[in-house]
Amino acid sequence: MSHPKARLGLTAALAGIFLMWSQLAGAQQAKTGGSPLDTLMSTRLWADVPEAKDFVRETRRPPDSLAYQPVTGTDPERPKLRNKEELQALQGELERAITHNDRNAHKRLGTKKSASAASPAVRRQ
């Protein structure tokens, strides 16, 4: 800024903003000292709840009759983990089911299975 009038105007504007800000900050002086609990209690972080209207009180059920469902509930009983032999038996059962279903599907469609599809070992890869 090379114009002296512009500098003077900017300086006056900044001085005015500073004066207004300092007056607002001085008006909101917080009392110092006390515990953090005193600070929380003096800031009123809660709202004053008005008493319920008559039609609201009349339509509410009594608190004793409310049957709340627990949100978390209890853990369901889960099946126990299987050991290696049980897993192998299950795998064999599933492979037998695959071949049975393939055989039935090929019978219904009237197609013949290829050599690569005949072996369940190829499917696992």
Side-chain angles (χ1 to χ4, degrees), residues 79-91:
K80 66 179 184 82
L81 296 178
R82 297 179 178 175
N83 59 23
K84 190 172 184 176
E85 292 81 26
E86 291 173 333
L87 288 175
Q88 287 174 346
L90 179 62
Q91 183 178 4

Side-chain angles (χ1 to χ4, degrees), residues 50-60:
E51 190 164 332
K53 304 276 184 190
D54 290 337
F55 72 92
V56 174
R57 281 194 306 257
E58 291 168 1
T59 57
R60 283 186 183 159

